[in-house]
Amino acid sequence: MANRNVAVYGAYGHTGRFVVSELLDRGWIPTLCGRDAAKLDILATANCGLDLRQASVDDPASLDRALVGAAAVINCAGPFVRTAEPMIEAALRAHIPYFDVAAEIEVVGSVFERYSERARRENIAIMPAMAFYGGLGDLLATAAMDDWPAADEVSIAYGLSSWKPTLGTRSTSAVSRQRRNGRRIVFSNSTLQFSTGEAPTTEWTFPEPIGAQPVVGEFTMADTVMVAHHLKTPEIRSFMTTAAVRDLSGEDLSPPAPIDKSGRSSQTFLLEVVARRGTVERRAAARGQDIYAVSAPLVVEAMRRVLSCSNGRGGVFAAGEVFEPRDFLLSLCPDHLAVELS
């Protein structure tokens, strides 16, 4: 493809910086976009030669200017309840595909509901939540189900060694909690619904060497919306290691500390998906380091595949809906993931 320019909105954020680096490593040319001019200047200084464009989601004209000449846009700026729709509208006006790394369940659901028909009509690809929470779990679930037309149940288990949330994650979580008024979202009886009371706790046996771990149930993330969108199952259960849940609500507000030159933290993850039909189970799992860092190769690889498809169709898509899941996952091995597919 001739045009290698990609607009990255929220480029100076924690995940945005990983996305910029991933694009550069793959030979793309990021255009640094965001509302904070000072932060853009600092990032541009560290990446000499890159174009920067100040833009605000409150100013559609500035977004239009930011996307001029771009082949695609990757939105890394949360809370996505505030940025997703303005950026999608700008992408549609520019007639370029849109990707983001949102983890907000309501936002991802709203994007499917509000933009599917329009994006299909205008032949523009929109892929929300193409990140650790969303795209990765959906790819694993699609790979696990394989040739099954339906499953009785899909379970998603997040095995995080720890969770030092970024300030963006904390801000997004606060907005989501306020909107839900203390309720949790679950997928049961083929529909998203609210759950109240204490979240259930149980134990999940992850592949070795992690093994059995205490987990908190009903920890629904964007993966659930993606899976429910294109895979047939009435029940989607989700679990998060208890230690990570404690970190998420802890008083330590320090961001993830980098331990290598790429900026990754010491956090490790094991994401396992189990599809069950009757008494038969199929499993798929992915291991790696730093849930924020791994979101970059996920979203950039998705963008590359969409842009390289000359006869691509428009619409709002989940990862497993448009990509062959095993091929996509294995393309990220061994640099970013270790994948185990049953």
Side-chain angles (χ1 to χ4, degrees):
M1 179 176 178
N3 188 358
R4 306 286 292 179
N5 295 284
V6 180
V8 182
Y9 190 75
Y12 46 71
H14 189 83
T15 304
R17 288 173 178 266
F18 284 120
V19 170
V20 169
S21 294
E22 184 69 19
L23 287 167
L24 290 170
D25 288 346
R26 289 172 173 242
W28 297 89
I29 306 171
T31 298
L32 312 179
C33 307
R35 62 180 178 84
D36 193 315
K39 291 180 180 178
L40 284 174
D41 284 335
I42 294 172
L43 186 59
T45 300
N47 295 273
C48 296
L50 294 184
D51 190 13
L52 62 87
R53 299 178 187 176
Q54 184 181 12
S56 170
V57 294
D58 300 321
D59 181 359
S62 72
L63 297 180
D64 292 342
R65 290 191 296 271
L67 301 190
V68 170
V73 58
I74 300 176
N75 180 14
C76 301
F80 290 89
V81 68
R82 298 171 185 157
T83 68
E85 289 195 8
M87 290 306 305
I88 290 173
E89 291 289 345
L92 290 170
R93 290 193 298 271
H95 208 74
I96 60 175
Y98 167 92
F99 307 83
D100 70 34
V101 293
E104 297 157 58
I105 307 164
E106 299 95 333
V107 173
V108 177
S110 176
V111 170
F112 276 103
E113 181 179 345
R114 295 194 59 174
Y115 288 101
S116 290
E117 182 178 344
R118 182 176 166 192
R120 185 166 49 250
R121 185 173 63 249
E122 299 186 23
N123 199 33
I124 300 296
I126 296 174
M127 297 195 71
M130 194 57 234
F132 175 82
Y133 292 118
L136 181 55
D138 181 63
L139 287 164
L140 290 170
T142 309
M145 284 188 62
D146 195 20
D147 59 350
W148 283 357
D152 297 331
E153 178 182 87
V154 171
S155 297
I156 305 170
Y158 309 97
L160 274 56
S161 63
S162 62
W163 193 354
K164 281 274 199 177
T166 64
L167 293 179
T169 297
R170 291 187 184 279
S171 175
T172 297
S173 298
V175 171
S176 294
R177 285 196 301 271
Q178 185 178 24
R179 295 180 69 188
R180 297 174 194 168
N181 194 26
R183 299 172 296 178
R184 297 182 304 284
I185 295 177
V186 298
F187 186 85
S188 184
N189 294 320
S190 300
T191 185
L192 285 169
Q193 52 191 269
F194 287 113
S195 176
T196 58
E198 288 292 321
T201 57
T202 184
E203 189 174 80
W204 184 273
T205 302
F206 291 92
E208 294 297 338
I210 296 180
Q213 296 287 327
V215 293
V216 176
E218 297 184 356
F219 200 92
T220 307
M221 299 299 287
D223 321 55
T224 294
V225 179
M226 314 287 270
V227 170
H229 170 69
H230 72 105
L231 297 178
K232 293 183 179 180
T233 180
E235 303 289 329
I236 304 175
R237 304 190 304 154
S238 50
F239 308 89
M240 174 66 75
T241 44
T242 303
V245 175
R246 284 198 300 266
D247 288 345
L248 185 61
S249 57
E251 297 181 359
D252 183 1
L253 301 182
S254 59
I259 64 165
D260 60 28
K261 63 180 181 180
S262 71
R264 293 184 304 175
S265 71
S266 61
Q267 177 202 59
T268 58
F269 64 81
L270 197 166
L271 176 55
E272 183 176 37
V273 176
V274 179
R276 180 182 62 80
R277 189 171 71 167
T279 59
V280 179
E281 291 185 345
R282 290 178 172 177
R283 297 173 177 263
R287 305 171 188 259
Q289 180 182 343
D290 196 322
I291 62 174
Y292 297 104
V294 80
S295 293
L298 282 163
V299 72
V300 171
E301 177 63 15
M303 181 207 70
R304 182 196 70 78
R305 290 179 179 233
V306 168
L307 291 178
S308 65
C309 185
S310 59
N311 59 346
R313 55 196 173 101
V316 181
F317 302 115
E321 183 181 9
V322 290
F323 305 130
E324 202 294 310
R326 291 170 180 259
D327 177 70
F328 190 108
L329 290 166
L330 293 175
S331 75
L332 302 183
C333 302
D335 293 339
H336 305 290
L337 290 175
V339 177
E340 302 161 20
L341 304 172
S342 63

